[in-house]
Amino acid sequence: MSRLAIEYGAHERVREVVDRLTYCAEHVSVEFDGWEEPRVKGPGLYFAVVADRDYGAYADSMGDNRWPRQSCATVFDEDAFVDAAGTVSVEQDGGVVVAVDGEIEAQMVRFRDLGTRSGESDLVDDVDYESWMGSRHMSAIETSVRPEVVATVTLSEETGRVSVFRDGEATSMRRHELGGEWRAE
């Protein structure tokens, strides 16, 4: 019996979900004015787009850290999503789980252990960390190798850098690279 398999990484609607997370993180970064201050802690975000809502096998609850689903349940709720992300970025800690359909889980989590690549049973041990990566980014790159995770997106609270991780690979933009002409409001 064959299983229905969808290549979520190439699916147009899922790519739109990842893009919305990325643009939202960029917006939060650009809106914060204190990046140049010494020892600043700015807004920080960690999103994980998952294809399977049974993520409990590799994630633990972050207690009272919650996404405000009552005001924003999906990444497609434009203004509410940006507002909620701005608030969560300074008031909460943990990973925000987003389903491939854009629905956002209320409970924020801590992802644990390295994942396995699709078709492999051993944990990945060849993830390349870069010197700029802090614990949020290291977790995001590790989580991105799991077959049930399409991508992870982070906003660094130290530098404002926005990064997208897919299958253990990072695409990253430093804060001064964000908000180019094509995104002018």
Side-chain angles (χ1 to χ4, degrees):
M1 188 161 80
S2 68
R3 291 178 36 178
L4 175 63
I6 298 173
E7 179 55 47
Y8 287 110
H11 191 275
E12 184 177 334
R13 184 74 167 181
V14 178
R15 283 196 322 263
E16 184 177 355
V17 168
V18 174
D19 286 347
R20 285 174 180 265
L21 296 172
T22 304
Y23 301 152
C24 180
E26 289 179 356
H27 175 81
V28 171
S29 180
V30 169
E31 288 295 304
F32 182 69
D33 291 329
W35 293 116
E36 303 305 319
E37 301 295 322
R39 294 179 294 283
V40 68
K41 179 182 175 207
L45 291 167
Y46 180 176
F47 295 107
V49 180
V50 299
D52 181 0
R53 292 196 187 202
D54 186 23
Y55 52 84
Y58 56 93
D60 297 318
S61 167
M62 287 288 289
D64 293 336
N65 291 293
R66 301 184 66 77
W67 179 268
R69 271 192 58 87
Q70 68 281 5
S71 62
C72 179
T74 176
V75 302
F76 294 102
D77 192 354
E78 306 262 340
D79 293 334
F81 176 56
V82 171
D83 290 344
T87 300
V88 165
S89 72
V90 294
E91 295 180 2
Q92 305 292 333
D93 191 23
V96 177
V97 178
V98 180
V100 291
D101 63 0
E103 288 291 310
I104 306 168
E105 295 286 321
Q107 182 62 59
M108 293 175 68
V109 300
R110 175 188 72 88
F111 294 101
R112 63 179 181 286
D113 69 41
L114 285 166
T116 59
R117 285 201 171 88
S118 198
E120 297 178 16
S121 60
D122 293 332
L123 292 177
V124 172
D125 64 358
D126 64 346
V127 173
D128 291 324
Y129 304 103
E130 297 188 32
S131 62
W132 58 264
M133 290 182 178
S135 60
R136 172 179 291 140
H137 312 291
M138 289 179 185
S139 173
I141 199 168
E142 292 171 356
T143 300
S144 78
V145 300
R146 296 187 152 288
E148 55 274 281
V149 176
V150 177
T152 56
V153 178
T154 60
L155 165 59
S156 170
E157 64 187 22
E158 285 85 20
T159 65
R161 176 192 295 256
V162 174
S163 304
V164 178
F165 303 92
R166 289 183 178 91
D167 196 28
E169 299 291 325
T171 304
S172 185
M173 291 183 68
R174 293 183 181 116
R175 185 170 183 293
H176 72 276
E177 298 170 323
L178 302 177
E181 281 184 42
W182 63 278
R183 294 192 190 162
E185 293 182 32

